[in-house]
């Protein structure tokens, strides 16, 4: 019986599958919208896999595993419970009901219970209605986008590469020992080997941090070249699978459905004052999704950056407007090659932003800032507002004077955000703020003024042992210099470097307090 | 604008088209302002080699047919006296501004005083009458500079504006009215046959018409004692006649020339007599005294020379005393004393310059003499 | 309204110009009366100097100031010399880096010389002070002050000077805001 | 007086300078043997000959014997204070640039008390013609030492001889920036007249020194009879146009150089003022 609803059932092949088989044998009336996928263990279904069906048009996802204590692998049931809970929270935030994901645990003999569970879930989904996420059909290509490798090479004048190797000698990945060379990638693609798997791997491995471009005497914009090449591979459906199972890209693609209404700001502390009529719009970014996704890690609290930003805006008498249905800016889609979905998101964002009537957008995320300001315009999407990074706002307000800072405890090192320092040429902006912060204790700042290397990852792709290696090196150096705190400027830097600190073997050697610059300011600023 | 700038603007409004000067604090700003503005209105500014030359050039320009002026302070005023005498003797219209500072000699260049009042009266040698005005605000300097030019043209005589460093350097609001609301006068022009023209033959108001060089009158102008024709005549009679004319045209028109301003004079027991910046001190002191129930009035001398002795005489009949307030050791005070002629006691609040007199000092004196 | 303002500093800081802008803004654009008298030594650079500005809505007879309502000090020597004359409830404004007030009296401070250097020319410290003064005292209106600054500086530097003026004005706004927030018990972001 | 006598007066030939002289002021005050009259006549002759508009021509003098010249010329004439003829003339010219202004005065007036004004007017290149009758002493006050009195010459205030040295006036004028400088004696009336004519028609600061005898005060004390002075003018002078200005000391024990020394073009004070201060007009 055909049905308009689609429910994916991930079914553990041990206990629960036996129960399900019995139902099949009995020709029990399993709701027809439920499509079963047999899996080895419910613990193997990551958040990314739990989410993926929604991106593809499912209305509900059921994960069924063994009863607690009965897992053949020991921790499967526990992991499944955690993943389901996290995914539900994210679904709530994104505007899909958390109830659309359900975990069930059944022994082989509990076939009737399983059937009742499945029926109840299917009924619940019918109650909730169709998922607002629409599976995408067809392509929505950027007009005039170069399609061929030759066109991409020509567009970025990659021929200008003099094969000097300055890029490779500065590249973080190469320095970490990875067999990776921007100049080699360029040469191979020029030579017509773009479709060779090793070349493709290299293109996906690039951090797009921009150090090579900074060094290049011929000004070949390697990151932009990589961006176009990734779109080329994406068009041919030969992209590498991103890190974390592609969860974030999946989530972002889901957000391209206009009928989806995210509920971004439901957990805002009450002390924060906002004003829907404000001429200033605050753009939060993806921090709250990250916090749920990574909550198991060393207390990653990237949403804190957002909250502290709002508190600082309030401190300076700005009560910003918020978009309750705020979506992702699309940065990671763009940089992982999915240009058509980036454009979808961007258009929806641009319309939503215009509808607020705001004159200025402030964001604390360097990727949001760069994307809204530069990438949107590059792809012909005009934002009718001025985009201001939170740092610029702070510098403007602090510059007006009458504020002071509590002297910092211990010594601080700074981690640059690539999009801010190298892409937007704003490396001095956070440093000005750091100077304010350490005005009374200049010796507390460990910084030579030059932008630091990449945190090790970008757009959730290409994470590997080499990036881990140089993250560890960086943290060790910071520790050796006597710093106790690492100040970051991007939520992702914080996540990546904290991840490196998770290393069970090096453990204590790498531990540093990490804090976003905005939070550091919020913590110490006061009216003088 | 400052009093100095207001003075320059007043001069321009009056039609002044020549300024010959020499820099001296605190009058320099007048020269500076004129140097920028005169070329735009078709006039000429020149900084001469000294004040003697400056004054000589002012007289020369006056005879060329221009309204001309100079501005200086005490030391320069002393140097100008020679040619001021020539201006009086040759009955040359021109305006000399003295922004007074502390003296004698170089004195207090950047600090004010009102101690050149008698020099204005008697500074050049010989007997003569002169007109001197003493404005008390930037706005008044503007208007009095125009008046000074008008009087100078009307009576063919140098006219002084006796201001001081305080007012010269004080900035205040000055309203400059449109040109059509400003009355400017010109020296009377001769009529009749050129060959019979007499340069110093006065018409009905005692002032002789004055042609300019180049108009064909072939005038002879000399600082020697001269007759009506302008020719030198070295005789007792000629001297007497010339001096009588120079004195008569001023003293005979006292009512026209002398300007004063009275405040609370009707019921005053004590009358403050003051001028220039000190009049503002006096005004403040008078208000404080009145607030304390003391019947104090103020006679502000706008025209200082010729002296308003009639006013003093009339007041002397009924007031209990005069207090003259001036930044010197008693110059106008002696004039008040002379005019009061013993009918009312006269007191002085004054010091030797460098600073303004404060209202407290005046109030103390008022209380002392009440 | 009868406000007496003394501005002190050393020659070259533009004390007199600052006073003139205040007086002119009041007299010409705010339609009040004002007088400015000044005292300075023979040197145009480095010597002590002061400007005395009176702003009133009626005639001003005595333009000299014995005890000001507002004292603006751009130099320590100016402060030392004049602070005793300031009225008990008078407002004290100082150049933060050059003047160290003593005696626990409340005061407003602006590092206008440093700001001016940051804006590219130390000469504009006085204009920054005018901006600060305008916002702190309200003795002259913002529009009048800004327009007068424009009129009083060389044409080529108008833009820079307006920026300097606004720098001072903004700093004062921030200072006042900080005082309001502190009075309301809101000292920091977290606290 | 009879009608005949009157007729004979009427019939008397008119003086060629009658129209330029205030004959009602004749007799003049100059002594017999004085050189001023000759220089004055040369000046008036030159004025007439130059063809300038005499109605627009003024003469300004200072104080002293030569300073009386302004009193005898039937033009707009100004007899000013001692030494101040040049600044007075400066005001006159600046006030009305159409006027031709001639300063006629003596050496004491122009170069002692008025020396400063002379050099500044030359520096500015004021459009004036300055004629200095140099009789080597203060004649009117009875023969005192002047800035031009030769070294060791006797005057009433240098009874045993002048211990000081005199000015070289053409050198001073040249150094100060005069655009026309000449020197003659009253004996050289023709050359003098020609030079004055040239000076009057030339724009800029022109200076002409005229050596003239003062037999009553200077000549008498220095044992110089009137005619002897003129003989000196004839025998002890040498005409050298364009001579080096530093060779122009007046020392009759050597040859005194006469001639036209400077004749150059330079923008006048008024031209420069207009160009600099009101370029738009």
């Amino acid at each position: 019986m055909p049905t308009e609803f689609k429910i994916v059932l991930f079914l553990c092949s041990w206990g629960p599958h036996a129960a399900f088989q019995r139902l099949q044998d009995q020709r029990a009336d399993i709701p027809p919208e439920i499509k079963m996928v047999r899996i080895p263990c419910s613990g193997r279904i990551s958040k990314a896999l739990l989410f993926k069906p929604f991106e593809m048009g499912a209305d509900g996802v059921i994960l069924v595993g063994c009863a607690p204590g009965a897992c053949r692998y020991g921790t499967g049931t526990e992991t499944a419970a955690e993943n389901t809970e996290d995914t539900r929270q994210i679904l709530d935030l994104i505007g899909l009901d958390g109830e659309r994901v359900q975990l069930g645990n059944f022994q082989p003999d509990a076939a009737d219970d399983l059937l009742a569970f499945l029926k109840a879930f299917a009924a619940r989904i019918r109650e909730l209605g169709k998922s607002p996420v629409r599976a995408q059909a067809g392509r929505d290509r950027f007009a005039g986008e170069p399609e061929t490798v030759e066109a991409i090479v020509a567009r970025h004048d990659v021929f200008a590469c003099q094969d000097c190797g300055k890029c490779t000698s500065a590249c973080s990945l190469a320095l970490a020992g990875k067999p990776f060379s921007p100049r080699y990638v360029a040469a191979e693609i020029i030579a017509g080997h773009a479709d060779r798997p090793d070349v493709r791997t290299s293109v996906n491995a690039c951090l797009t941090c921009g150090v090579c471009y900074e060094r290049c005497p011929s000004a070949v914009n390697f990151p932009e070249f990589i961006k176009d090449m990734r779109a080329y591979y994406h068009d041919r459906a030969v992209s590498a699978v991103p890190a974390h199972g592609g969860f974030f890209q999946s989530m972002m693609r889901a957000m391209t459905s206009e009928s989806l209404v995210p509920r971004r700001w439901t957990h805002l502390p009450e002390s924060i004052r906002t004003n829907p009529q404000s001429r200033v719009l605050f753009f939060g970014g993806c921090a709250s999704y990250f916090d749920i996704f990574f909550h198991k890690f060393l207390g990653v609290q990237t949403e804190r950056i957002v909250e502290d930003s709002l508190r600082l805006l309030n401190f300076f008498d700005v009560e910003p407007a918020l978009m309750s249905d705020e979506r992702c800016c699309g940065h990671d889609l763009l940089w992982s090659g999915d240009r058509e979905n980036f454009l979808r998101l961007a258009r929806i964002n641009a319309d939503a932003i215009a509808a607020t009537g705001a004159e200025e957008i402030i964001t604390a995320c360097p990727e949001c800032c760069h994307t809204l300001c530069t990438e949107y315009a590059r792809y012909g999407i005009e934002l009718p507002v001025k985009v201001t990074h939170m740092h610029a706002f702070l510098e403007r307000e602090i510059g007006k004077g009458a504020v002071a800072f509590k002297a910092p405890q211990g010594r601080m090192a700074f981690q640059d955000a690539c999009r801010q320092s190298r892409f937007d040429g704003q490396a001095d902006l956070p440093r000005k703020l750091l100077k304010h912060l350490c005005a009374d204790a200049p010796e507390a700042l460990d910084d030579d003024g030059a932008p630091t290397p990449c945190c090790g990852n970008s757009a959730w792709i290409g994470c590997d042992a080499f990036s881990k290696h140089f993250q560890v090196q960086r943290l060790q150096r910071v520790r050796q210099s006597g710093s106790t705190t690492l100040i970051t400027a991007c939520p992702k830097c914080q996540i990546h470097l904290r991840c490196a600190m998770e290393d069970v073997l090096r453990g204590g050697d790498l531990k540093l307090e990490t804090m976003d610059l905005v939070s550091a300011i919020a913590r110490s600023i006061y009216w003088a | 604008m400052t009093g100095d700038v207001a003075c320059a603007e007043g001069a321009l409004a009056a039609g002044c088209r020549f300024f010959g000067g020499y820099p001296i604090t605190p009058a320099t700003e007048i020269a500076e302002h004129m140097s920028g503005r005169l070329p735009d209105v078709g006039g000429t500014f020149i900084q001469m080699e000294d004040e003697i030359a400056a004054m000589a050039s002012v007289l020369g320009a006056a005879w060329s047919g221009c309204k001309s002026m100079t501005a200086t302070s005490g030391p320069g005023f002393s140097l100008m006296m020679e040619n001021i005498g020539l201006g009086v003797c040759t009955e040359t219209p021109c305006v000399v501004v003295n922004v007074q500072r502390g003296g004698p000699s170089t004195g207090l260049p950047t600090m004010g005083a009102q101690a050149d009042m008698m020099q204005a009266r008697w500074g050049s040698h010989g007997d003569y009458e002169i007109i001197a005005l003493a404005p008390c605000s930037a706005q008044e300097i503007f208007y009095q500079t125009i008046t000074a030019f008008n009087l100078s043209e009307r009576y063919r005589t140098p006219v002084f504006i006796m201001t001081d460093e305080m007012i010269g350097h004080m900035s205040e609001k000055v309203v400059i009215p449109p040109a059509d609301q400003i009355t400017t006068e010109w020296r009377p022009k001769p009529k009749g046959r050129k060959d019979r023209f007499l340069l110093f033959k006065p018409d009905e108001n005692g002032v002789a018409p004055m042609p300019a060089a180049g108009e064909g009158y072939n005038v002879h102008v000399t600082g020697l004692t001269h007759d009506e024709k302008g020719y030198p005549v070295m005789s007792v009679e000629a001297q007497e006649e010339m001096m009588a004319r120079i004195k008569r045209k001023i003293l005979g028109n006292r009512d026209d020339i002398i300007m004063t301003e009275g405040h609370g004079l009707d019921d005053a027991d004590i009358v403050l007599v003051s001028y220039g910046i000190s009049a503002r001190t006096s005004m403040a002191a008078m208000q404080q005294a009145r607030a304390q129930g003391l019947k104090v009035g103020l006679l502000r001398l706008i025209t200082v020379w010729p002296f308003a002795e009639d006013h003093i005489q009339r007041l002397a009949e009924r007031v209990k005393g005069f207090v003259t307030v001036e930044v010197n050791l008693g110059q106008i005070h002696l004039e008040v004393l002379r005019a009061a002629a013993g009918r009312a006691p006269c007191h002085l609040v004054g010091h030797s310059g460098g600073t303004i007199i404060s209202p407290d000092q005046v109030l103390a004196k008022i209380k002392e003499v009440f | 309204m009868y406000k007496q303002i003394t501005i002190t500093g050393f020659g070259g800081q533009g004390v007199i110009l600052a006073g003139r802008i205040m007086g002119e803004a009041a007299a010409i654009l705010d339609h009040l009366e004002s007088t400015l008298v000044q005292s300075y030594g023979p040197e145009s650079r480095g010597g002590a100097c002061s400007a005395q500005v009176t702003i009133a809505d009626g005639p001003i007879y005595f333009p000299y100031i014995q005890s000001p309502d507002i004292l603006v000090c751009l130099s320590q020597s100016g402060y030392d010399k004049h602070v005793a004359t300031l009225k008990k409830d008078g407002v004290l404004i100082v150049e933060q880096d050059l003047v160290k007030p003593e005696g626990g009296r409340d005061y407003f401070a602006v590092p206008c010389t440093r700001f001016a250097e940051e804006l590219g020319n130390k000469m504009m410290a006085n204009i920054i002070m005018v901006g600060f003064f305008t916002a702190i005292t309200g003795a002259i209106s913002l529009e009048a002050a800004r327009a007068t600054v424009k009129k009083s500086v060389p044409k080529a530097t108008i833009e820079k000077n307006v920026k300097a003026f606004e720098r001072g004005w903004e700093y004062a706004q921030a200072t006042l805001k900080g005082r309001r927030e502190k009075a309301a018990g809101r000292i920091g972001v977290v606290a | 007086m009879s009608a005949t006598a009157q007729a004979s007066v009427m019939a008397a030939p008119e003086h060629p300078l009658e129209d330029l002289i205030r004959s009602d002021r004749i007799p003049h005050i100059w002594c017999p043997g004085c050189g001023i009259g000759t220089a004055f006549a040369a000046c008036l002759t030159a004025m007439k000959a130059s063809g300038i508009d005499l109605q627009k021509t003024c003469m300004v003098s200072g104080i002293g014997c030569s300073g009386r010249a302004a009193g005898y010329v039937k033009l707009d004439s100004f007899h000013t204070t001692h030494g101040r003829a040049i600044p007075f003339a400066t005001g006159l010219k600046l006030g009305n640039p159409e006027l031709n202004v001639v300063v006629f005065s003596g050496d004491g007036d122009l170069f002692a008390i008025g020396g400063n004004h002379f050099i500044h007017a030359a520096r500015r290149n004021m459009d004036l013609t300055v004629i200095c009758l140099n009789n080597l002493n203060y004649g009117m006050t009875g023969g005192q030492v002047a800035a031009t009195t030769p070294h060791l010459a006797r005057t009433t205030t240098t009874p045993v001889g002048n211990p000081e040295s005199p000015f070289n006036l053409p050198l001073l004028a040249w150094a100060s920036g005069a655009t026309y400088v000449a020197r003659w004696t009253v004996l050289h009336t023709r050359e003098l007249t020609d030079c004055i004519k040239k000076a009057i028609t030339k724009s800029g600061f022109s200076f002409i020194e005229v050596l003239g005898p003062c037999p009553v005060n200077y000549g008498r004390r220095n044992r110089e009879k009137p005619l002897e002075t003129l003989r000196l003018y004839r025998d002890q002078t040498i005409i050298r146009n364009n001579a080096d200005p530093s060779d122009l000391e007046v020392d009759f024990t050597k040859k005194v150089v006469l001639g036209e020394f400077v004749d150059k073009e330079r923008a006048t004070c008024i031209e420069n003022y207009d160009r600099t201060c009101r370029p738009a007009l």
Side-chain angles (χ1 to χ4, degrees), chain A residues 18 52 54 102 118 126 159 191 236 259 281-282 350 378:
Chain A
K52 190 77 183 172
F54 291 107
Q102 187 77 51
L118 294 176
R126 278 188 212 105
F159 297 110
R236 280 148 191 79
S259 44
L281 177 67
F282 184 78
R378 182 172 283 154

Side-chain angles (χ1 to χ4, degrees), chain A residues 281-341:
Chain A
L281 177 67
F282 184 78
F283 195 85
C286 295
S288 50
Y289 303 109
F290 300 157
D291 283 5
I292 297 167
F293 194 86
F294 295 110
H295 83 273
K296 277 205 298 181
F297 293 85
L298 292 167
V300 167
Q301 279 189 307
T302 56
E303 181 71 357
R304 178 75 196 260
I305 304 169
V306 175
E307 289 173 12
D308 283 338
S309 296
L310 289 167
R311 287 194 188 95
L312 278 166
L313 287 168
N314 285 175
F315 179 78
F316 286 115
D317 262 7
V318 176
E319 294 182 0
L322 297 172
M323 290 193 296
S324 63
D325 58 345
E326 184 192 302
R327 285 161 216 259
C328 171
C329 70
H331 173 274
D332 296 343
L333 285 179
L334 177 64
W335 284 90
S336 53
D338 188 355
R339 188 173 288 153
E340 57 268 31
N341 280 307

Side-chain angles (χ1 to χ4, degrees), chain B residues 6-194:
Chain B
C7 177
E9 283 297 330
L12 293 164
C16 173
R17 292 298 177 264
F18 180 86
F19 187 102
Y22 189 78
I24 183 168
T25 306
T28 306
E29 289 86 346
I30 302 177
E32 287 172 346
H33 196 71
M34 290 302 261
S35 72
R37 291 273 279 118
L38 269 173
D40 299 339
V41 297
T44 303
F45 168 90
I46 188 165
Q47 180 175 314
M48 295 298 281
E49 48 275 12
D50 55 32
E51 283 93 344
I52 299 169
M55 190 62 219
S57 72
V58 165
L59 298 180
W63 279 100
S64 80
C66 281
K67 289 187 183 179
S68 63
M69 78 179 297
T70 187
T72 188
S73 187
F77 201 50
S78 295
L79 286 177
M80 286 179 182
M81 279 306 159
E82 173 196 51
N83 285 317
I84 285 170
L86 179 63
V88 169
C89 187
T90 56
E91 304 188 37
T92 306
C94 59
V95 171
V96 178
V97 182
N98 180 355
V99 187
Q100 297 170 84
R101 68 192 217 189
S105 189
T106 309
L108 296 168
T110 62
M111 297 157 92
Q114 296 179 299
D116 303 347
M117 302 310 294
M118 278 297 164
Q119 188 187 19
R121 178 66 189 86
W122 297 115
S124 200
H125 50 278
D127 278 316
Y128 59 93
E129 289 294 332
I130 199 86
I131 300 174
L133 310 179
C136 76
S137 69
Q139 180 73 65
E140 201 184 27
I141 288 192
F142 175 81
Y143 280 118
Q144 293 309 338
T145 304
I146 297 171
T147 306
F149 271 98
N150 287 346
L151 289 172
S152 146
E153 296 288 323
R154 201 182 304 158
Y155 296 112
R156 261 189 79 177
T157 182
V159 173
F160 297 148
I161 294 173
M162 300 299 291
T163 174
D164 50 69
E165 185 274 337
M166 298 85 156
I167 295 176
H169 280 166
M170 177 163 68
S171 297
E172 276 188 293
K173 174 155 65 179
V174 175
V175 179
I176 298 180
D180 57 6
Q181 287 174 25
I182 294 172
T183 310
T184 56
E185 294 181 29
W186 277 95
R187 53 201 75 165
K189 281 283 169 192
K191 300 178 201 90
R193 281 176 57 170
K194 288 184 178 176

Side-chain angles (χ1 to χ4, degrees), chain A residues 135-465:
Chain A
Q136 293 155 27
R139 298 235 177 257
D140 185 9
R141 231 174 248 121
F142 182 67
E145 196 59 33
E147 293 293 334
T148 64
V149 174
E150 289 75 15
I152 293 170
V153 167
R155 182 182 177 197
H156 299 289
D157 196 17
V158 185
F159 297 110
C161 170
Q162 300 171 31
D163 223 10
C164 69
K166 282 191 176 180
C167 47
T168 313
S169 68
C171 174
S172 295
L173 285 174
L175 287 174
K178 185 171 171 124
F180 176 86
S181 162
R183 130 189 110 88
Y184 174 76
V185 171
E188 289 303 299
I189 292 176
I190 290 170
H193 304 147
D195 295 315
R196 226 169 59 196
D198 63 317
V199 173
R200 200 161 65 216
T201 307
S202 280
V203 167
N204 282 322
C206 174
L207 299 170
T208 68
C209 67
V211 168
C212 48
Y213 177 40
E214 210 171 53
R215 290 290 192 95
C216 180
S218 300
V220 174
N221 195 336
F222 195 71
E224 286 297 320
F225 172 57
I226 290 291
K227 194 167 80 180
D228 279 353
M229 282 310 295
R230 287 180 183 171
Y232 169 84
Y233 294 135
H234 192 270
D235 279 352
R236 280 148 191 79
V238 288
S239 287
V241 175
H244 305 290
F247 177 87
F248 295 105
Q249 278 84 351
S250 230
M251 187 181 82
M252 290 165 198
R253 275 191 281 271
M255 283 189 195
T256 61
S257 292
E258 285 184 67
S259 44
L260 183 77
V261 182
R263 292 190 282 270
R264 172 69 179 80
W265 297 106
T266 46
H267 301 297
L268 208 57
E270 273 178 17
S271 60
I272 289 171
R273 306 189 307 271
T274 60
N275 172 12
Q277 262 71 55
S278 176
R279 48 163 289 276
V280 175
L281 177 67
F282 184 78
F283 195 85
C286 295
S288 50
Y289 303 109
F290 300 157
D291 283 5
I292 297 167
F293 194 86
F294 295 110
H295 83 273
K296 277 205 298 181
F297 293 85
L298 292 167
V300 167
Q301 279 189 307
T302 56
E303 181 71 357
R304 178 75 196 260
I305 304 169
V306 175
E307 289 173 12
D308 283 338
S309 296
L310 289 167
R311 287 194 188 95
L312 278 166
L313 287 168
N314 285 175
F315 179 78
F316 286 115
D317 262 7
V318 176
E319 294 182 0
L322 297 172
M323 290 193 296
S324 63
D325 58 345
E326 184 192 302
R327 285 161 216 259
C328 171
C329 70
H331 173 274
D332 296 343
L333 285 179
L334 177 64
W335 284 90
S336 53
D338 188 355
R339 188 173 288 153
E340 57 268 31
N341 280 307
F342 162 74
L343 285 170
R344 274 204 194 97
L345 255 185
R347 289 202 185 96
I348 296 171
N349 279 332
D351 291 346
I353 289 166
T356 64
E359 294 161 18
E360 184 178 17
I361 282 194
I362 296 180
T363 177
C365 173
E367 293 186 343
C368 293
C369 185
H370 173 75
T371 306
L372 293 173
C373 191
T374 309
E375 301 288 10
Y376 278 26
R378 182 172 283 154
Y379 294 98
I381 292 164
E382 294 301 327
L383 275 188
V385 290
K386 184 180 149 209
V387 182
T388 304
H389 192 278
M390 189 66 196
H391 291 175
F393 169 82
L394 286 173
E395 174 58 21
R396 190 166 80 201
E397 291 298 321
I398 291 169
K400 287 177 186 171
V403 291
F405 298 86
K406 280 180 261 174
Q409 303 285 316
R411 207 165 139 81
M412 306 188 305
F414 179 65
Q415 172 65 39
D416 278 278
C418 303
R419 298 298 180 258
Q420 179 180 53
S421 62
R422 278 178 287 269
F423 279 45
D424 290 340
Q426 296 277 331
D428 57 330
L429 185 55
R431 285 177 173 78
K432 280 186 197 161
L433 294 175
L434 285 164
K435 279 218 182 79
H436 291 308
L437 199 60
C438 301
D440 291 335
E443 69 288 350
L445 182 60
D446 170 29
D447 184 63
D448 63 2
T452 56
C454 176
C455 68
N457 209 309
S458 164
W460 309 113
I461 49 176
C463 175
D464 64 8

Side-chain angles (χ1 to χ4, degrees), chain D residues 137-138 141-146 149 153-163 221:
Chain D
N137 78 133
Y138 285 87
T141 47
Q144 291 78 29
V145 70
T149 307
R154 286 167 198 263
T155 69
T156 61
T157 47
T158 54
V160 294
N162 181 15
R221 287 194 183 82

Side-chain angles (χ1 to χ4, degrees), chain D residues 220-231:
Chain D
R220 197 156 46 96
R221 287 194 183 82
N222 289 287
R223 298 173 201 285
E224 217 180 272
K225 297 256 166 59
L227 267 180
E228 282 172 12
T229 310
L230 293 180
R231 196 166 292 129

